[in-house]
Amino acid sequence: YYDEASDTFDFSNSFQYISSYLDDSSFVVGDLECVFAGADENYEGYDRYGVAGGLYNAPESAASDLKAAGFSLFQTANSHSADFGKEGIDSTIDFLTNAGLQNVGTQKAENDPRYTVASVNGINVGFVSYTNSMNGYLEEADSYAVNTLDGYDEEKISQACDDVGTASQNADLVVVLVQCGDSYATEPDTSQTELFDAFFNAGADIVIGNGSYSLMPVEVKDIQDENGTSRKGLALYSLGTFLGSQVYSESLGIDNDVSAIFDVVIQDDGSGPQITGFRLTPTYLYYT
């Protein structure tokens, strides 16, 4: 994706076979498993970006390419959120915003909202995002910048559920995007299912995980709220890797190159928005 003559990057080719599927949706959400920290002058050429030392720093021009591909909002709370510290978090938010993209899961200031509300065809959808762990490190004074669960810490889960509850008061539906679970697992463990249930009980309608880099099951939930009303919820425990260098691993026996686009159908017949269906469009990642 690097053009040496112009010293620029162009990632649009990655989406040439997939953007039509994204265009079918009114609002498209993804997990941004990197930061836009700007060129690192410690490296030369295209290596000013990359994965040196396990730190994921992508060329900032990718933000515009992602917008052009059809994305609307990105989860920015994941294991690589703090790879380039607080400055990397702030610049990532800035580059996304300048490209016309929303984000959720990281904050530039301590008093910034810990959730995001988007208006989609007249329906207000609230988004909350958390990660169970981070590779990078933040000073205590900057710990507010990433919504993290710190290994299923009870106080952190309580804070996340409070955020879900607050979002539900300001939105018609709430979506939680969470990075958790063991890498390359294909079924959720007890910690995951209990966490998802806690989010549903707090007011979430859809919970999507993305920590295992492989597909996990979808589950339709019957939720009974404290006021006695019942509703349907959707849990997708992991969506796999949409774009990256994951390939089939013979030793693991996991199809890491297979993912899916998860479409949720939301309709309002006058009695309030309801989830009326969903579909999965399988994708295959060809990497060489």
Short mmCIF file of all heavy atoms in Angstrom, two decimals, residues 66-133:
data_model
loop_
_atom_site.label_atom_id
_atom_site.label_comp_id
_atom_site.label_asym_id
_atom_site.label_seq_id
_atom_site.Cartn_x
_atom_site.Cartn_y
_atom_site.Cartn_z
N LEU A 66 -11.00 4.12 5.24
CA LEU A 66 -12.04 3.40 5.97
C LEU A 66 -13.39 4.11 5.85
O LEU A 66 -14.43 3.47 5.70
CB LEU A 66 -11.65 3.26 7.44
CG LEU A 66 -10.50 2.29 7.72
CD1 LEU A 66 -9.94 2.51 9.13
CD2 LEU A 66 -10.94 0.85 7.54
N LYS A 67 -13.35 5.43 5.91
CA LYS A 67 -14.58 6.20 5.72
C LYS A 67 -15.14 5.97 4.32
O LYS A 67 -16.34 5.73 4.14
CB LYS A 67 -14.29 7.69 5.94
CG LYS A 67 -15.45 8.62 5.60
CD LYS A 67 -16.63 8.43 6.54
CE LYS A 67 -17.71 9.47 6.25
NZ LYS A 67 -18.90 9.29 7.12
N ALA A 68 -14.27 6.01 3.31
CA ALA A 68 -14.71 5.81 1.93
C ALA A 68 -15.24 4.41 1.71
O ALA A 68 -16.11 4.19 0.87
CB ALA A 68 -13.55 6.10 0.97
N ALA A 69 -14.73 3.44 2.48
CA ALA A 69 -15.19 2.05 2.34
C ALA A 69 -16.59 1.85 2.91
O ALA A 69 -17.22 0.83 2.64
CB ALA A 69 -14.21 1.11 3.03
N GLY A 70 -17.07 2.81 3.72
CA GLY A 70 -18.43 2.72 4.23
C GLY A 70 -18.56 2.70 5.73
O GLY A 70 -19.68 2.63 6.26
N PHE A 71 -17.45 2.74 6.46
CA PHE A 71 -17.53 2.70 7.92
C PHE A 71 -18.06 4.01 8.49
O PHE A 71 -17.87 5.08 7.90
CB PHE A 71 -16.16 2.38 8.53
CG PHE A 71 -15.77 0.94 8.40
CD1 PHE A 71 -14.98 0.52 7.33
CD2 PHE A 71 -16.20 0.00 9.32
CE1 PHE A 71 -14.62 -0.82 7.19
CE2 PHE A 71 -15.85 -1.34 9.18
CZ PHE A 71 -15.06 -1.75 8.12
N SER A 72 -18.70 3.91 9.66
CA SER A 72 -19.29 5.07 10.32
C SER A 72 -18.68 5.34 11.70
O SER A 72 -18.51 6.49 12.09
CB SER A 72 -20.80 4.86 10.49
OG SER A 72 -21.42 4.47 9.29
N LEU A 73 -18.38 4.27 12.44
CA LEU A 73 -17.90 4.40 13.82
C LEU A 73 -16.93 3.27 14.11
O LEU A 73 -17.10 2.14 13.63
CB LEU A 73 -19.07 4.36 14.80
CG LEU A 73 -18.78 4.36 16.30
CD1 LEU A 73 -19.89 5.12 17.05
CD2 LEU A 73 -18.67 2.94 16.87
N PHE A 74 -15.91 3.57 14.93
CA PHE A 74 -14.95 2.55 15.31
C PHE A 74 -14.83 2.42 16.82
O PHE A 74 -14.79 3.41 17.56
CB PHE A 74 -13.56 2.84 14.73
CG PHE A 74 -13.41 2.38 13.31
CD1 PHE A 74 -13.50 3.29 12.27
CD2 PHE A 74 -13.21 1.04 13.02
CE1 PHE A 74 -13.37 2.87 10.96
CE2 PHE A 74 -13.10 0.61 11.71
CZ PHE A 74 -13.17 1.53 10.68
N GLN A 75 -14.78 1.17 17.26
CA GLN A 75 -14.39 0.85 18.63
C GLN A 75 -12.89 1.11 18.73
O GLN A 75 -12.09 0.55 18.00
CB GLN A 75 -14.69 -0.63 18.91
CG GLN A 75 -14.08 -1.16 20.18
CD GLN A 75 -14.30 -2.66 20.32
OE1 GLN A 75 -15.10 -3.24 19.59
NE2 GLN A 75 -13.61 -3.28 21.26
N THR A 76 -12.50 1.95 19.68
CA THR A 76 -11.07 2.25 19.87
C THR A 76 -10.55 1.76 21.21
O THR A 76 -9.42 2.07 21.59
CB THR A 76 -10.82 3.77 19.73
OG1 THR A 76 -11.76 4.50 20.52
CG2 THR A 76 -10.94 4.20 18.27
N ALA A 77 -11.36 0.98 21.92
CA ALA A 77 -10.92 0.34 23.16
C ALA A 77 -10.57 -1.11 22.85
O ALA A 77 -11.46 -1.93 22.62
CB ALA A 77 -12.00 0.40 24.24
N ASN A 78 -9.28 -1.41 22.78
CA ASN A 78 -8.83 -2.78 22.54
C ASN A 78 -7.40 -2.92 23.05
O ASN A 78 -6.85 -2.00 23.65
CB ASN A 78 -8.94 -3.14 21.05
CG ASN A 78 -8.27 -2.13 20.15
OD1 ASN A 78 -7.07 -1.87 20.29
ND2 ASN A 78 -9.03 -1.55 19.23
N SER A 79 -6.81 -4.06 22.81
CA SER A 79 -5.50 -4.36 23.40
C SER A 79 -4.40 -3.43 22.90
O SER A 79 -3.35 -3.30 23.54
CB SER A 79 -5.12 -5.82 23.14
OG SER A 79 -5.13 -6.10 21.75
N HIS A 80 -4.61 -2.76 21.76
CA HIS A 80 -3.58 -1.89 21.22
C HIS A 80 -3.88 -0.40 21.41
O HIS A 80 -3.17 0.45 20.86
CB HIS A 80 -3.38 -2.19 19.73
CG HIS A 80 -2.77 -3.53 19.49
ND1 HIS A 80 -1.42 -3.78 19.65
CD2 HIS A 80 -3.33 -4.72 19.11
CE1 HIS A 80 -1.17 -5.05 19.39
NE2 HIS A 80 -2.30 -5.64 19.06
N SER A 81 -4.88 -0.07 22.20
CA SER A 81 -5.28 1.33 22.38
C SER A 81 -4.14 2.20 22.88
O SER A 81 -3.98 3.35 22.44
CB SER A 81 -6.46 1.42 23.36
OG SER A 81 -7.59 0.76 22.87
N ALA A 82 -3.35 1.69 23.81
CA ALA A 82 -2.31 2.50 24.46
C ALA A 82 -0.92 2.20 23.93
O ALA A 82 0.08 2.52 24.59
CB ALA A 82 -2.37 2.28 25.97
N ASP A 83 -0.82 1.60 22.74
CA ASP A 83 0.50 1.24 22.20
C ASP A 83 1.43 2.44 22.09
O ASP A 83 2.65 2.31 22.24
CB ASP A 83 0.34 0.60 20.82
CG ASP A 83 -0.04 -0.87 20.91
OD1 ASP A 83 -0.28 -1.35 22.03
OD2 ASP A 83 -0.09 -1.53 19.86
N PHE A 84 0.88 3.63 21.81
CA PHE A 84 1.69 4.83 21.71
C PHE A 84 1.24 5.88 22.74
O PHE A 84 1.33 7.08 22.50
CB PHE A 84 1.64 5.39 20.29
CG PHE A 84 2.49 4.60 19.32
CD1 PHE A 84 2.09 3.36 18.87
CD2 PHE A 84 3.72 5.09 18.90
CE1 PHE A 84 2.87 2.62 17.99
CE2 PHE A 84 4.51 4.36 18.02
CZ PHE A 84 4.10 3.12 17.57
N GLY A 85 0.80 5.37 23.91
CA GLY A 85 0.49 6.24 25.03
C GLY A 85 -0.72 7.13 24.81
O GLY A 85 -1.51 6.95 23.88
N LYS A 86 -0.84 8.12 25.68
CA LYS A 86 -1.96 9.05 25.61
C LYS A 86 -1.93 9.87 24.33
O LYS A 86 -2.98 10.16 23.74
CB LYS A 86 -1.91 9.99 26.83
CG LYS A 86 -3.03 11.03 26.89
CD LYS A 86 -4.41 10.39 27.00
CE LYS A 86 -5.47 11.39 27.46
NZ LYS A 86 -5.61 12.57 26.61
N GLU A 87 -0.75 10.24 23.85
CA GLU A 87 -0.66 11.01 22.62
C GLU A 87 -1.21 10.21 21.44
O GLU A 87 -1.87 10.76 20.56
CB GLU A 87 0.79 11.42 22.35
CG GLU A 87 1.32 12.46 23.33
CD GLU A 87 2.73 12.89 22.98
OE1 GLU A 87 3.30 12.35 22.01
OE2 GLU A 87 3.26 13.77 23.69
N GLY A 88 -0.94 8.90 21.42
CA GLY A 88 -1.47 8.06 20.36
C GLY A 88 -2.97 7.94 20.41
O GLY A 88 -3.65 7.88 19.37
N ILE A 89 -3.52 7.90 21.62
CA ILE A 89 -4.98 7.85 21.79
C ILE A 89 -5.61 9.12 21.25
O ILE A 89 -6.59 9.08 20.49
CB ILE A 89 -5.34 7.64 23.28
CG1 ILE A 89 -4.90 6.25 23.73
CG2 ILE A 89 -6.83 7.85 23.51
CD1 ILE A 89 -4.94 6.06 25.24
N ASP A 90 -5.04 10.27 21.65
CA ASP A 90 -5.59 11.55 21.22
C ASP A 90 -5.52 11.73 19.71
O ASP A 90 -6.48 12.17 19.07
CB ASP A 90 -4.85 12.69 21.92
CG ASP A 90 -5.11 12.75 23.41
OD1 ASP A 90 -6.00 12.02 23.88
OD2 ASP A 90 -4.42 13.52 24.11
N SER A 91 -4.37 11.38 19.12
CA SER A 91 -4.22 11.58 17.68
C SER A 91 -5.12 10.64 16.89
O SER A 91 -5.63 11.01 15.82
CB SER A 91 -2.75 11.40 17.27
OG SER A 91 -2.31 10.07 17.50
N THR A 92 -5.35 9.43 17.42
CA THR A 92 -6.26 8.50 16.75
C THR A 92 -7.67 9.09 16.69
O THR A 92 -8.33 9.06 15.63
CB THR A 92 -6.28 7.15 17.48
OG1 THR A 92 -4.96 6.59 17.49
CG2 THR A 92 -7.24 6.18 16.80
N ILE A 93 -8.13 9.62 17.81
CA ILE A 93 -9.46 10.24 17.84
C ILE A 93 -9.51 11.41 16.86
O ILE A 93 -10.50 11.58 16.12
CB ILE A 93 -9.80 10.71 19.27
CG1 ILE A 93 -9.94 9.50 20.21
CG2 ILE A 93 -11.09 11.54 19.28
CD1 ILE A 93 -10.11 9.86 21.66
N ASP A 94 -8.46 12.22 16.82
CA ASP A 94 -8.43 13.38 15.93
C ASP A 94 -8.48 12.96 14.46
O ASP A 94 -9.24 13.54 13.67
CB ASP A 94 -7.17 14.21 16.18
CG ASP A 94 -7.22 14.98 17.49
OD1 ASP A 94 -8.33 15.16 18.02
OD2 ASP A 94 -6.15 15.38 17.98
N PHE A 95 -7.69 11.96 14.08
CA PHE A 95 -7.67 11.53 12.68
C PHE A 95 -9.01 10.92 12.29
O PHE A 95 -9.47 11.12 11.16
CB PHE A 95 -6.53 10.54 12.44
CG PHE A 95 -5.17 11.19 12.32
CD1 PHE A 95 -4.15 10.85 13.18
CD2 PHE A 95 -4.93 12.14 11.35
CE1 PHE A 95 -2.90 11.45 13.07
CE2 PHE A 95 -3.69 12.75 11.22
CZ PHE A 95 -2.67 12.40 12.09
N LEU A 96 -9.63 10.16 13.18
CA LEU A 96 -10.94 9.59 12.89
C LEU A 96 -11.98 10.70 12.72
O LEU A 96 -12.77 10.70 11.77
CB LEU A 96 -11.37 8.64 14.00
CG LEU A 96 -10.62 7.31 14.11
CD1 LEU A 96 -11.03 6.55 15.37
CD2 LEU A 96 -10.86 6.43 12.88
N THR A 97 -11.96 11.66 13.64
CA THR A 97 -12.91 12.77 13.59
C THR A 97 -12.74 13.57 12.31
O THR A 97 -13.72 13.92 11.64
CB THR A 97 -12.74 13.69 14.81
OG1 THR A 97 -12.94 12.93 16.01
CG2 THR A 97 -13.74 14.83 14.77
N ASN A 98 -11.51 13.86 11.95
CA ASN A 98 -11.24 14.65 10.74
C ASN A 98 -11.68 13.91 9.48
O ASN A 98 -11.98 14.54 8.45
CB ASN A 98 -9.76 15.00 10.66
CG ASN A 98 -9.34 15.99 11.72
OD1 ASN A 98 -10.16 16.73 12.25
ND2 ASN A 98 -8.06 16.01 12.05
N ALA A 99 -11.71 12.57 9.55
CA ALA A 99 -12.16 11.77 8.40
C ALA A 99 -13.68 11.61 8.38
O ALA A 99 -14.22 10.97 7.47
CB ALA A 99 -11.49 10.40 8.42
N GLY A 100 -14.36 12.15 9.39
CA GLY A 100 -15.81 12.04 9.44
C GLY A 100 -16.31 10.78 10.11
O GLY A 100 -17.45 10.36 9.89
N LEU A 101 -15.45 10.18 10.96
CA LEU A 101 -15.80 8.94 11.67
C LEU A 101 -15.98 9.19 13.15
O LEU A 101 -15.28 10.01 13.75
CB LEU A 101 -14.70 7.90 11.46
CG LEU A 101 -14.52 7.37 10.03
CD1 LEU A 101 -13.15 6.73 9.86
CD2 LEU A 101 -15.61 6.37 9.70
N GLN A 102 -16.93 8.49 13.75
CA GLN A 102 -17.11 8.54 15.20
C GLN A 102 -16.29 7.43 15.85
O GLN A 102 -15.87 6.47 15.19
CB GLN A 102 -18.59 8.38 15.55
CG GLN A 102 -19.47 9.54 15.11
CD GLN A 102 -20.93 9.33 15.50
OE1 GLN A 102 -21.69 8.74 14.74
NE2 GLN A 102 -21.32 9.81 16.66
N ASN A 103 -16.07 7.57 17.16
CA ASN A 103 -15.37 6.51 17.89
C ASN A 103 -16.00 6.34 19.26
O ASN A 103 -16.72 7.23 19.76
CB ASN A 103 -13.88 6.82 18.03
CG ASN A 103 -13.58 7.72 19.20
OD1 ASN A 103 -13.86 8.92 19.16
ND2 ASN A 103 -13.02 7.15 20.27
N VAL A 104 -15.70 5.21 19.88
CA VAL A 104 -16.17 4.96 21.24
C VAL A 104 -15.17 4.05 21.93
O VAL A 104 -14.57 3.16 21.31
CB VAL A 104 -17.58 4.31 21.23
CG1 VAL A 104 -17.57 2.94 20.54
CG2 VAL A 104 -18.13 4.19 22.64
N GLY A 105 -14.94 4.30 23.22
CA GLY A 105 -14.04 3.45 24.00
C GLY A 105 -12.81 4.17 24.50
O GLY A 105 -12.16 3.71 25.44
N THR A 106 -12.45 5.29 23.88
CA THR A 106 -11.33 6.10 24.35
C THR A 106 -11.78 7.55 24.42
O THR A 106 -12.66 7.99 23.67
CB THR A 106 -10.10 5.98 23.42
OG1 THR A 106 -10.47 6.37 22.09
CG2 THR A 106 -9.57 4.57 23.41
N GLN A 107 -11.15 8.30 25.33
CA GLN A 107 -11.52 9.69 25.55
C GLN A 107 -10.27 10.57 25.60
O GLN A 107 -9.24 10.15 26.14
CB GLN A 107 -12.27 9.86 26.87
CG GLN A 107 -13.60 9.15 26.94
CD GLN A 107 -13.53 7.65 27.19
OE1 GLN A 107 -14.18 6.87 26.51
NE2 GLN A 107 -12.71 7.22 28.14
N LYS A 108 -10.37 11.79 25.08
CA LYS A 108 -9.25 12.73 25.16
C LYS A 108 -9.20 13.43 26.50
O LYS A 108 -8.11 13.76 26.99
CB LYS A 108 -9.35 13.77 24.03
CG LYS A 108 -9.17 13.19 22.64
CD LYS A 108 -9.29 14.26 21.57
CE LYS A 108 -8.16 15.28 21.67
NZ LYS A 108 -8.23 16.27 20.55
N ALA A 109 -10.35 13.68 27.10
CA ALA A 109 -10.42 14.39 28.37
C ALA A 109 -11.22 13.56 29.37
O ALA A 109 -12.09 12.77 29.01
CB ALA A 109 -11.05 15.76 28.19
N GLU A 110 -10.92 13.79 30.65
CA GLU A 110 -11.53 12.97 31.70
C GLU A 110 -13.03 13.15 31.78
O GLU A 110 -13.76 12.23 32.16
CB GLU A 110 -10.88 13.28 33.04
CG GLU A 110 -11.24 12.32 34.14
CD GLU A 110 -10.33 12.43 35.35
OE1 GLU A 110 -9.50 13.36 35.40
OE2 GLU A 110 -10.45 11.57 36.26
N ASN A 111 -13.52 14.34 31.43
CA ASN A 111 -14.96 14.59 31.51
C ASN A 111 -15.69 14.31 30.21
O ASN A 111 -16.89 14.60 30.08
CB ASN A 111 -15.22 16.04 31.97
CG ASN A 111 -14.62 17.07 31.02
OD1 ASN A 111 -13.88 16.71 30.12
ND2 ASN A 111 -14.94 18.33 31.25
N ASP A 112 -15.01 13.76 29.21
CA ASP A 112 -15.69 13.38 27.97
C ASP A 112 -16.64 12.21 28.23
O ASP A 112 -16.36 11.36 29.08
CB ASP A 112 -14.67 12.96 26.90
CG ASP A 112 -13.91 14.13 26.31
OD1 ASP A 112 -14.35 15.28 26.54
OD2 ASP A 112 -12.88 13.91 25.65
N PRO A 113 -17.75 12.13 27.50
CA PRO A 113 -18.68 10.99 27.68
C PRO A 113 -17.99 9.66 27.41
O PRO A 113 -17.15 9.56 26.52
CB PRO A 113 -19.77 11.27 26.64
CG PRO A 113 -19.69 12.73 26.37
CD PRO A 113 -18.24 13.09 26.49
N ARG A 114 -18.37 8.65 28.17
CA ARG A 114 -17.79 7.31 28.02
C ARG A 114 -18.65 6.46 27.10
O ARG A 114 -18.51 5.24 27.07
CB ARG A 114 -17.62 6.66 29.39
CG ARG A 114 -16.68 7.43 30.30
CD ARG A 114 -16.73 6.91 31.72
NE ARG A 114 -16.23 5.56 31.81
CZ ARG A 114 -14.95 5.24 31.99
NH1 ARG A 114 -14.04 6.20 32.08
NH2 ARG A 114 -14.57 3.99 32.09
N TYR A 115 -19.55 7.09 26.38
CA TYR A 115 -20.38 6.40 25.39
C TYR A 115 -20.62 7.36 24.24
O TYR A 115 -20.35 8.56 24.33
CB TYR A 115 -21.70 5.93 26.00
CG TYR A 115 -22.58 7.08 26.48
CD1 TYR A 115 -23.54 7.64 25.65
CD2 TYR A 115 -22.44 7.60 27.77
CE1 TYR A 115 -24.33 8.69 26.07
CE2 TYR A 115 -23.22 8.65 28.20
CZ TYR A 115 -24.16 9.19 27.36
OH TYR A 115 -24.93 10.25 27.77
N THR A 116 -21.11 6.82 23.13
CA THR A 116 -21.39 7.63 21.94
C THR A 116 -22.80 7.31 21.46
O THR A 116 -23.20 6.15 21.45
CB THR A 116 -20.37 7.32 20.82
OG1 THR A 116 -19.06 7.67 21.26
CG2 THR A 116 -20.70 8.10 19.55
N VAL A 117 -23.53 8.33 21.08
CA VAL A 117 -24.87 8.15 20.53
C VAL A 117 -24.87 8.61 19.07
O VAL A 117 -24.39 9.70 18.76
CB VAL A 117 -25.93 8.93 21.33
CG1 VAL A 117 -27.30 8.80 20.66
CG2 VAL A 117 -25.99 8.43 22.76
N ALA A 118 -25.37 7.75 18.20
CA ALA A 118 -25.46 8.07 16.77
C ALA A 118 -26.93 8.03 16.36
O ALA A 118 -27.68 7.13 16.76
CB ALA A 118 -24.65 7.09 15.94
N SER A 119 -27.34 8.99 15.55
CA SER A 119 -28.70 9.00 15.00
C SER A 119 -28.69 8.27 13.67
O SER A 119 -28.02 8.69 12.72
CB SER A 119 -29.20 10.44 14.82
OG SER A 119 -30.50 10.45 14.27
N VAL A 120 -29.42 7.16 13.60
CA VAL A 120 -29.45 6.34 12.39
C VAL A 120 -30.90 6.26 11.90
O VAL A 120 -31.73 5.60 12.51
CB VAL A 120 -28.91 4.92 12.66
CG1 VAL A 120 -28.85 4.12 11.37
CG2 VAL A 120 -27.54 4.98 13.33
N ASN A 121 -31.18 6.98 10.84
CA ASN A 121 -32.55 7.01 10.28
C ASN A 121 -33.59 7.32 11.36
O ASN A 121 -34.65 6.70 11.42
CB ASN A 121 -32.88 5.67 9.61
CG ASN A 121 -32.01 5.41 8.39
OD1 ASN A 121 -31.43 6.33 7.82
ND2 ASN A 121 -31.92 4.15 7.99
N GLY A 122 -33.27 8.30 12.19
CA GLY A 122 -34.21 8.74 13.21
C GLY A 122 -34.18 7.92 14.49
O GLY A 122 -34.91 8.23 15.43
N ILE A 123 -33.39 6.87 14.54
CA ILE A 123 -33.26 6.03 15.74
C ILE A 123 -31.93 6.36 16.42
O ILE A 123 -30.88 6.34 15.77
CB ILE A 123 -33.33 4.54 15.39
CG1 ILE A 123 -34.68 4.20 14.77
CG2 ILE A 123 -33.07 3.67 16.62
CD1 ILE A 123 -34.77 2.77 14.25
N ASN A 124 -31.98 6.68 17.69
CA ASN A 124 -30.77 6.97 18.44
C ASN A 124 -30.17 5.67 18.98
O ASN A 124 -30.79 4.99 19.79
CB ASN A 124 -31.06 7.94 19.60
CG ASN A 124 -31.37 9.34 19.11
OD1 ASN A 124 -30.81 9.79 18.11
ND2 ASN A 124 -32.26 10.03 19.79
N VAL A 125 -28.97 5.35 18.51
CA VAL A 125 -28.29 4.13 18.92
C VAL A 125 -27.10 4.52 19.79
O VAL A 125 -26.23 5.29 19.36
CB VAL A 125 -27.82 3.31 17.72
CG1 VAL A 125 -27.18 2.00 18.18
CG2 VAL A 125 -28.98 3.02 16.78
N GLY A 126 -27.05 4.00 21.01
CA GLY A 126 -25.95 4.27 21.91
C GLY A 126 -24.89 3.18 21.81
O GLY A 126 -25.21 1.99 21.66
N PHE A 127 -23.63 3.58 21.88
CA PHE A 127 -22.51 2.64 21.80
C PHE A 127 -21.63 2.79 23.03
O PHE A 127 -21.29 3.90 23.44
CB PHE A 127 -21.68 2.89 20.54
CG PHE A 127 -22.40 2.60 19.26
CD1 PHE A 127 -23.11 3.60 18.61
CD2 PHE A 127 -22.36 1.33 18.70
CE1 PHE A 127 -23.78 3.34 17.43
CE2 PHE A 127 -23.03 1.06 17.51
CZ PHE A 127 -23.74 2.07 16.88
N VAL A 128 -21.28 1.63 23.61
CA VAL A 128 -20.35 1.57 24.74
C VAL A 128 -19.28 0.56 24.37
O VAL A 128 -19.58 -0.49 23.80
CB VAL A 128 -21.06 1.14 26.04
CG1 VAL A 128 -20.06 0.99 27.18
CG2 VAL A 128 -22.14 2.15 26.42
N SER A 129 -18.01 0.87 24.68
CA SER A 129 -16.93 -0.04 24.30
C SER A 129 -15.93 -0.18 25.44
O SER A 129 -15.54 0.82 26.06
CB SER A 129 -16.22 0.48 23.04
OG SER A 129 -15.11 -0.34 22.73
N TYR A 130 -15.50 -1.42 25.67
CA TYR A 130 -14.49 -1.73 26.69
C TYR A 130 -13.54 -2.80 26.17
O TYR A 130 -13.91 -3.60 25.30
CB TYR A 130 -15.16 -2.23 27.97
CG TYR A 130 -15.53 -1.13 28.96
CD1 TYR A 130 -16.65 -0.34 28.76
CD2 TYR A 130 -14.72 -0.88 30.07
CE1 TYR A 130 -16.98 0.67 29.65
CE2 TYR A 130 -15.04 0.12 30.96
CZ TYR A 130 -16.16 0.90 30.75
OH TYR A 130 -16.47 1.90 31.63
N THR A 131 -12.34 -2.81 26.71
CA THR A 131 -11.39 -3.89 26.45
C THR A 131 -10.99 -4.53 27.77
O THR A 131 -10.89 -3.85 28.80
CB THR A 131 -10.14 -3.37 25.70
OG1 THR A 131 -9.25 -4.47 25.48
CG2 THR A 131 -9.42 -2.29 26.50
N ASN A 132 -10.77 -5.83 27.74
CA ASN A 132 -10.42 -6.54 28.97
C ASN A 132 -8.93 -6.42 29.32
O ASN A 132 -8.54 -6.68 30.44
CB ASN A 132 -10.79 -8.03 28.85
CG ASN A 132 -10.85 -8.72 30.19
OD1 ASN A 132 -11.33 -8.16 31.18
ND2 ASN A 132 -10.35 -9.95 30.27
N SER A 133 -8.12 -6.01 28.34
CA SER A 133 -6.68 -5.89 28.59
C SER A 133 -6.06 -4.95 27.57
O SER A 133 -6.65 -4.66 26.53
CB SER A 133 -6.00 -7.26 28.52
OG SER A 133 -6.14 -7.82 27.22
#
